[in-house]
Amino acid sequence: AYQFANQSRLGIKIAHISNAYIANEDPGEDEVLLTYALPLSFGDHS
């Protein structure tokens, strides 16, 4: 993830999930996850 000056973050995750050929077919699944996180502040942190 990349952290911006305002402490927010933008990230990406790429993954492949497989059944490890425990069955005759293993088409697998490819995933792409894009995240954006905003920092939250609850109350006074002094």
Side-chain angles (χ1 to χ4, degrees):
Y2 176 80
Q3 185 170 339
F4 297 97
N6 68 355
Q7 304 300 310
S8 65
R9 295 177 185 227
L10 178 64
I12 187 168
K13 175 183 175 181
I14 301 172
H16 175 78
I17 298 177
S18 170
N19 70 2
Y21 290 101
I22 59 174
N24 289 337
E25 289 189 29
D26 183 17
E29 178 180 287
D30 295 318
E31 299 177 347
V32 177
L33 176 67
L34 181 65
T35 60
Y36 184 69
L38 294 170
L40 300 176
S41 179
F42 297 101
D44 186 15
H45 293 266
S46 52

